[in-house]
Amino acid sequence: MSLDPPDWPAFRQQAHGMLDDMLNYLEQIRERPLWRPMPDGVRDAFTDQTLPSAASDVATVRDEFLRVIRPFSTGNPHPGFMGWVHGGGTPAGMLAEMLAGGMNANLGGRDHAPIAVERQIVAWMRRLFGFPCNASCLFVTGTSMANLIGVLVARSAALGTEVRSVGIAGCGRPLTAYASEAVHNSLPRALEIAGIGRDALRLVRADQLHRIDTIALGHVIAEDRRRGFTPFLVVGTAGTVDIGAIDPLADLADICARERIWFHVDGACAALAMLAADLAPRLAGIERADSLAFDFHKWGQVPYDAGFVLVRDGELHRATFASPAAYLRAGTRGLAAGSPWPCDYGPDLSRGFRALKTWFTLKTYGADALGRVISGTCGLARYLESRIRQTPELELLAPAQLNIVCFRFRTAEDTDEVNAAIVADLHESGVVAPSTTRIGANLAIRAAIVNHRTEERDIEALLQKTIEFGRSITNGRSLERGLAV
Ligand SMILES: *Cc1c(COP(=O)(O)O)cnc(C)c1O
């Protein structure tokens, strides 16, 4: 029984309508609320339904999508979205998703053009980041997975690939890893998953600007060696998740070269600053990483998900994951050719065509425009920072180093509570959506400006609404008392 439409012309009409649904959505994104809470009736519509055993026509399902799904999204395509670190997506990226879905390509391996597309992006990224031509790369879900792959290849470098057979315990050498205290949570998780354990991660002091203290790092490594540990991995962050700090990558590369330790860079937030002429110099040293994890779905604006990992020693990368299986035997001709297959570079066998939306994004907009978007978001962050400095009711909590600004509404009491309530009010307003983080002891409103649609008026809306909600929550207390402290 085929699942193709019995009536193609009718289906085609629905298909064109669905395309318009989403083009309208993107064209009018600014006019809609950024986010709204799902009403109980909508939530219940999901939980009350059982597995549909009978067919519905696509028009009915489309209608349900338009009623209960589309209006209740996270809102990251909206220009007022500044929460967490989310990309905005693009219309061209959206279309590429449809094309990839139609082809239904599986990029685990075999000989076909989709893999050539992925390899083309691999070649572009090697060149962009100054990696050698035998460096390997792989599309993965996100930077979390890319970090995990970096950790696993580093583990092979330290223990040899026999760790794959005998496990960590069989190698009998306690490994230790190093990163600043501002490292992203995906790194300790990667160490957990790799069987090394999160306790093996030494969190090294960071300076005022949240960059790793390299002197302290040297001491911690030396101390671990004295105690019989095997330091195997240093993680540098290019763009910390809380304030966008960039570790001194060249200094870390020097330390790793001297100590013979694997140098991994988590570039989720800022690696693509390489596309912006004014920012690229700040990433100096990234070209010396042994592995680099980043993604195209944040600053790269590619629709979710599009993580990417780059490994200098492609052979070691392959030796960390490749496994012979009779039903996967690569041939020299026919569809089974095209070796090496991407499935030998990571844990996934079946892999979607993430490369296509990235390829379309890079080709349609061009790397220069993406670089201008990236610079532009940093410009908006500087603008926000200067407006906060001029506004007595607001307090800057960390200098904006890149595209992230942390601040708070001043109030005499319950500062954290008030600021958390302001952020929830902002979300419910449907106008702007920053998130929160902690800077030292304080809860901060964190605006991460990533979206290519964000403009100065969105920054103004953030400021105006923050003050409006702050005043109303504190009933004006902030003005009399907060400013005095
Ligand atoms: C977002 C982020 C990650 C995780 O990336 P995902 O693509 O969400 O898995 C890792 N590190 C940093 C610094 C990040 O900002």
Side-chain angles (χ1 to χ4, degrees), residues 142-144 147 184 186 237 239 241 266 268-269 295 297-298:
T143 300
S144 302
N147 280 333
H184 189 267
S186 55
T237 302
V241 68
D266 176 352
C269 272
D295 58 69
H297 54 224
K298 288 179 175 172

Side-chain angles (χ1 to χ4, degrees), residues 126-213:
R126 270 193 207 115
R127 184 174 271 260
L128 178 67
F129 289 104
F131 273 53
C133 59
N134 59 339
S136 51
C137 315
L138 191 72
F139 270 96
V140 289
T141 38
T143 300
S144 302
M145 181 56 98
N147 280 333
L148 173 61
I149 289 178
V151 166
L152 290 169
V153 186
R155 192 185 71 166
S156 294
L159 300 178
T161 50
E162 65 266 26
V163 66
R164 296 179 61 188
S165 322
V166 302
I168 293 281
C171 293
R173 289 170 52 209
L175 300 179
T176 45
Y178 306 83
S180 96
E181 54 200 0
V183 73
H184 189 267
N185 178 43
S186 55
L187 263 309
R189 286 176 69 204
L191 287 159
E192 281 174 25
I193 299 166
I196 297 162
R198 64 190 305 143
D199 289 352
L201 180 63
R202 312 298 196 223
L203 295 179
V204 179
R205 193 171 61 229
D207 67 13
Q208 285 268 279
L209 295 175
H210 291 208
R211 297 170 306 194
I212 192 168
D213 177 337

Side-chain angles (χ1 to χ4, degrees), residues 360-421:
F360 256 84
T361 301
L362 291 167
K363 282 188 162 273
T364 306
Y365 305 104
D368 292 351
L370 292 174
R372 284 195 296 274
V373 164
I374 286 167
S375 277
T377 58
C378 295
L380 287 172
R382 287 192 298 273
Y383 176 75
L384 173 57
E385 180 180 35
S386 71
R387 293 280 287 108
I388 291 165
R389 286 189 197 279
Q390 296 156 5
T391 310
E393 284 172 282
L394 301 178
E395 177 186 3
L396 191 71
L397 289 179
Q401 302 188 56
L402 222 49
N403 59 333
I404 302 178
V405 184
C406 291
F407 66 102
R408 64 176 174 174
F409 183 77
R410 288 185 203 262
T411 164
E413 61 225 43
D414 304 329
T415 309
D416 288 359
E417 223 167 281
V418 168
N419 279 280

